[in-house]
């Protein structure tokens, strides 16, 4: 049963709660109205949250945006994040957990909202034609709109930190968002700490046409186009860029990204080259055979570009990027974010970690 929509607030937020989920442990999702000033009247979007978003948010000091994977199961990711919050010792009164839920073409119950192809949202592609008032809307723009809405000091006057976290397909989206978004610096100017926590994505966005050298030399070389003519196309490289970031160039993006606060996590057991939801396209295979190998190759690649940029004085060395192997964990979002480093990243250094929390091995540059 659906509740009636709430009245439009002065802050341009419209939230109406929908009926009880079929899963007893899952909350009802909330209909969030995201204003787009240049495209009024905006659009509605489904999210899970531990506070009523049309209620009093004046006590909120931190927001954790946790992004689901390709199953579009925001309720599961929300529930896992809430378990970690409750175990952390942090007061839920001051932490807003928010799980966006991107509707896919097979999904029902999202009338009037933008809908994406099953996996199109993971790369920032546009919503499908004829779906909602904002068909053509990039999933990256949705995250922009959520972030800027949350940064409104009239609604969240105590907000100090905004974390974007994603695993698997959600990690793909959050990785590309960390690279491509246009709001990070503006949010920091407004006094917010902004961080990105990216766990076990299938692929990464490369800034140049180079890829890991398969000869064993450990460097980076141009990939063989005869093996994969489109290996450097977006979502793996800079060619045929998604519309959201079409005016950008690779090294300009890298130099900006290099200064953002980004932490990459990979499970030490996420090593199956035939995992059922691993991206096996030739563009992804150019990055390595498994998520674990792709992660380590990309971490080396970031350092490789950093050394070249520093040598040319194009960008200083970064102390803002960190890399962790999560020991004994495969492709499991609960164990990744519930690891010792995952909990500390999301809930702070003083957060309590469970006895079964996996250890994390910091990967040095």
């Amino acid at each position: 049963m659906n509740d009636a929509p709430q009245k439009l607030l002065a802050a341009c937020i419209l939230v109406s709660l929908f009926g009880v989920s079929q899963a007893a442990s899952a909350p009802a999702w909330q209909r969030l109205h995201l204003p787009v000033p240049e495209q009024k009247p905006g659009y509605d979007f489904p999210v899970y949250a531990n506070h009523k978003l049309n209620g009093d948010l004046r006590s909120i000091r931190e927001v954790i945006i946790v992004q689901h994977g390709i199953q579009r199961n925001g309720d599961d990711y929300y529930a896992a994040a809430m378990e970690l919050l409750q175990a952390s010792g942090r007061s839920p009164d001051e932490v807003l957990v928010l799980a966006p839920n991107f509707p896919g073409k097979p999904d029902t119950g999202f009338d009037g909202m933008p809908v994406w192809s099953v996996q199109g949202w993971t790369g920032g592609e546009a919503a499908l034609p004829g779906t909602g008032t904002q068909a053509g809307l990039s999933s990256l723009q949705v995250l922009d709109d959520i972030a800027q809405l949350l940064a409104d000091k009239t609604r969240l006057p105590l907000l100090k930190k905004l974390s974007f976290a994603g695993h698997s397909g959600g990690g793909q989206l959050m990785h590309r968002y960390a690279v491509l978004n246009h709001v990070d610096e503006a949010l920091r100017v407004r006094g917010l700490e902004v961080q990105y926590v990216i766990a076990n994505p299938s692929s990464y966005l490369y800034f140049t046409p180079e890829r890991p050298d398969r000869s064993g030399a450990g460097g980076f070389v141009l990939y063989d186009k005869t093996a994969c003519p489109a290996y450097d196309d977006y979502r793996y490289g800079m060619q045929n860029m998604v519309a959201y970031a079409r005016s950008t160039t690779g090294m300009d993006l890298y130099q900006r990204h290099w200064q953002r606060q980004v932490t990459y996590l990979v499970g030490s057991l996420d090593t199956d080259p035939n995992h059922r939801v691993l991206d096996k396209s030739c563009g992804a295979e150019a990055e390595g055979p498994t998520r674990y190998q792709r992660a380590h190759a990309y971490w080396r690649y970031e350092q490789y570009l950093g050394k070249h940029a520093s040598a040319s004085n194009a960008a200083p060395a970064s102390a803002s990027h960190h890399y962790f192997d999560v020991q004994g964990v495969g492709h499991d979002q609960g164990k990744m974010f519930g690891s010792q480093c995952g909990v500390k990243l999301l809930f702070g250094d003083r957060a309590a970690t469970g006895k079964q929390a996996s250890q994390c091995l910091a990967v040095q540059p």
Side-chain angles (χ1 to χ4, degrees), residues 27 37 39 46 93 100 105 111 140 168-169 173 177 181 183 195 211 213 232 241 247 260 274 293 311 347:
Q39 299 180 41
D93 293 338
K105 191 174 181 180
D111 295 346
L140 298 167
S168 192
L173 178 64
Y177 187 67
N181 82 74
V183 302
Q195 73 159 341
R211 295 296 184 272
D213 186 351
D232 201 37
M241 178 60 70
S247 62
R260 293 178 173 179
N274 297 305
Q293 289 169 290
F347 301 106

Side-chain angles (χ1 to χ4, degrees), residues 20 55 60-61 80 96 123-124 127 162 166 196 204 214 228 234 240 253 268 294-295 297:
V20 177
I60 299 300
R61 295 179 179 273
L96 171 61
L162 183 57
Y196 310 88
Y204 297 83
R214 300 296 184 89
C228 186
Y234 186 84
N240 297 311
L253 286 172
S268 68
R294 292 173 191 179

Side-chain angles (χ1 to χ4, degrees), residues 87-139:
S88 73
R90 293 290 306 276
S91 169
D93 293 338
E94 64 180 26
V95 179
L96 171 61
V97 174
L98 193 151
N101 204 106
F102 284 91
K105 191 174 181 180
D107 302 330
T108 59
F110 301 101
D111 295 346
M113 299 185 188
V115 173
W116 283 262
S117 65
V118 172
Q119 295 192 38
W121 60 271
T122 66
E125 294 172 19
L128 298 172
T131 62
T133 59
Q134 294 296 325
L137 178 74
S138 168
S139 52

Side-chain angles (χ1 to χ4, degrees), residues 327-342:
Q327 301 298 292
V329 175
H331 201 66
D332 185 316
Q333 65 99 0
K335 291 181 179 179
M336 291 296 293
F337 291 134
S339 66
Q340 292 179 359
C341 54

Side-chain angles (χ1 to χ4, degrees), residues 28-349:
W29 55 267
Q30 302 184 42
R31 182 183 289 259
L32 181 64
H33 187 80
L34 294 169
V36 183
E38 68 276 13
Q39 299 180 41
K40 293 180 179 178
Y43 59 100
D44 291 350
F45 188 82
V47 300
Y48 294 92
N50 64 326
H51 292 264
K52 289 186 177 180
L53 299 176
N54 63 338
D56 185 354
L57 301 176
R58 289 175 296 175
S59 66
I60 299 300
R61 295 179 179 273
E62 295 184 22
V63 176
I64 299 168
I65 298 174
V66 58
Q67 187 58 60
H68 60 68
I70 62 171
Q71 292 180 327
R72 304 180 303 286
N73 52 335
D75 53 347
D76 292 336
Y77 276 69
Y78 168 80
M82 285 302 299
E83 285 185 11
L84 293 176
L85 172 60
Q86 290 162 7
S88 73
R90 293 290 306 276
S91 169
D93 293 338
E94 64 180 26
V95 179
L96 171 61
V97 174
L98 193 151
N101 204 106
F102 284 91
K105 191 174 181 180
D107 302 330
T108 59
F110 301 101
D111 295 346
M113 299 185 188
V115 173
W116 283 262
S117 65
V118 172
Q119 295 192 38
W121 60 271
T122 66
E125 294 172 19
L128 298 172
T131 62
T133 59
Q134 294 296 325
L137 178 74
S138 168
S139 52
L140 298 167
Q141 183 63 52
V142 173
L143 296 177
D144 273 357
D145 295 339
I146 290 173
Q148 294 191 87
L149 185 149
L150 294 170
D152 180 359
K153 290 292 187 180
T154 65
R155 294 280 297 157
L156 290 86
L158 300 182
L159 183 64
K160 295 298 182 184
K161 185 175 181 180
L162 183 57
S163 297
F164 295 91
H167 175 265
S168 192
Q172 292 188 58
L173 178 64
M174 289 307 190
H175 164 58
R176 287 159 181 83
Y177 187 67
V179 171
L180 298 176
N181 82 74
H182 307 306
V183 302
D184 180 288
E185 288 73 21
L187 292 170
R188 285 189 277 146
V189 166
R190 297 171 72 173
L192 292 180
E193 179 185 351
V194 182
Q195 73 159 341
Y196 310 88
V197 182
I198 297 155
N200 289 343
S202 262
S203 66
Y204 297 83
L205 181 60
Y206 277 68
F207 302 94
T208 67
E210 299 158 293
R211 295 296 184 272
D213 186 351
R214 300 296 184 89
S215 71
F220 296 89
V221 296
L222 294 178
Y223 195 68
D224 182 4
K225 274 199 167 186
T226 62
C228 186
Y231 82 91
D232 201 37
D233 281 0
Y234 186 84
R235 63 183 63 197
Y236 312 105
M238 293 287 121
Q239 304 306 309
N240 297 311
M241 178 60 70
V242 68
Y244 172 91
R246 196 157 284 162
S247 62
T248 55
T249 63
M251 287 309 294
D252 286 344
L253 286 172
Y254 171 76
Q255 290 166 22
R256 186 181 70 177
H257 178 60
W258 193 227
Q259 305 308 315
R260 293 178 173 179
Q261 189 174 329
V262 183
T263 301
Y264 296 97
L265 309 178
V266 66
S268 68
L269 299 183
D270 203 346
T271 56
D272 182 358
N274 297 305
H275 190 274
R276 61 184 181 81
V277 292
L278 177 69
D279 185 347
K280 301 180 186 69
S281 67
C282 65
E285 293 288 345
E287 300 182 7
T290 70
R291 291 188 188 87
Y292 185 81
Q293 289 169 290
R294 292 173 191 179
H296 277 261
Y298 193 76
W299 300 350
R300 289 189 290 106
Y301 174 71
E302 284 204 329
Q303 301 300 321
Y304 162 80
L305 287 187
K307 290 176 183 177
H308 281 67
S310 296
S312 64
N313 296 319
S318 175
S320 301
H321 285 213
H322 303 280
Y323 317 94
F324 291 97
D325 279 353
V326 181
Q327 301 298 292
V329 175
H331 201 66
D332 185 316
Q333 65 99 0
K335 291 181 179 179
M336 291 296 293
F337 291 134
S339 66
Q340 292 179 359
C341 54
V343 169
K344 300 299 185 186
L345 284 162
L346 294 182
F347 301 106
D349 289 339

